[in-house]
Amino acid sequence: RKEVEQDPGPFNVPEGATVAFNCTYSNSASQSFFWYRQDCRKEPKLLMSVYSSGNEDGRFTAQLNRASQYISLLIRDSKLSDSATYLCVVTRQGAQKLVFGQGTRLTINP
Amino acid sequence: DGGITQSPKYLFRKEGQNVTLSCEQNLNHDAMYWYRQDPGQGLRLIYYSQIVNDFQKGDIAEGYSVSREKKESFPLTVTSAQKNPTAFYLCASSREYEQFFGPGTRLTVL
């Protein structure tokens, strides 16, 4: 079993739609959680951290369920510029090492 | 402008040749990392270094070597022992858990 698993995708949705991504992780000792965004043939960039209480940044909402070892990302009112691959990322206990999911590709259609 | 630079952007090499990828950062970060990304997959950790003159193997270190003689620099050598070296290589540095990535080097071995 992979340490971090994401929805396989790809997701193709119309502009303005709401889209949700899910991610599960296997290491219950994981301490920090993130969503990164990666545009085609570019480097990943931090989209947002994920906190236990859930957090929101504009149209983006991230949630964490430690009991179920589950992370989600919700994008509301999607824009064409949201088209990218979204990477779920967790840390390994006691280290600054990140473990990346394989990513979910999102395409927003006009 | 603070950031991470990687060079070259594209690199072509013949099978059996060693090649060194450059990574420089001026963010004054202590920790640096090398990842490999294959098409449709997430990032996999090759090596990381938390301080100068010290580094540790990641999940896929075989066929690679690194050095960390200066805080700003963390070059990666892809040796002829690496079975499938063609990939997108990403260097990162971190402040606590957030990692900042360079633009990457696409290595193609012919």
Side-chain angles (χ1 to χ4, degrees), chain A residues 22-74:
Chain A
N22 301 315
C23 172
T24 57
Y25 60 96
S26 60
N27 188 344
S28 60
S30 297
Q31 294 178 327
S32 300
F33 309 89
F34 308 92
W35 284 101
Y36 274 71
R37 170 193 168 126
Q38 185 174 24
D39 291 304
C40 189
R41 303 180 73 83
K42 300 282 192 181
E43 74 273 22
K45 293 184 179 177
L46 179 66
L47 178 66
M48 58 196 302
S49 301
V50 187
Y51 303 118
S52 297
S53 55
N55 48 300
E56 190 173 307
D57 182 3
R59 298 181 292 108
F60 298 83
T61 301
Q63 293 196 312
L64 168 65
N65 184 323
R66 285 190 184 269
S68 302
Q69 295 180 205
Y70 170 93
I71 304 159
S72 66
L73 176 68
L74 185 76

Side-chain angles (χ1 to χ4, degrees), chain A residues 31-32 34 36 38 40-46 87 91-92 94-103, chain B residues 10 31 33 35 37 40-43 45 48 50 59 88 90 94-99 101-103 106:
Chain A
Q31 294 178 327
S32 300
F34 308 92
Y36 274 71
Q38 185 174 24
C40 189
R41 303 180 73 83
K42 300 282 192 181
E43 74 273 22
K45 293 184 179 177
L46 179 66
L87 299 164
T91 58
R92 286 187 179 144
Q96 289 177 296
K97 288 164 53 174
L98 303 185
V99 182
F100 288 77
Q102 78 271 32
Chain B
Y10 297 97
Y33 308 79
Y35 294 91
Q37 187 174 34
Q41 297 196 32
L43 281 65
L45 183 63
Y48 66 104
Q50 293 182 308
D59 299 316
F88 185 38
L90 287 154
S94 72
R95 174 185 62 222
E96 298 184 351
Y97 288 115
E98 182 178 353
Q99 291 192 6
F101 287 85
R106 291 196 179 273

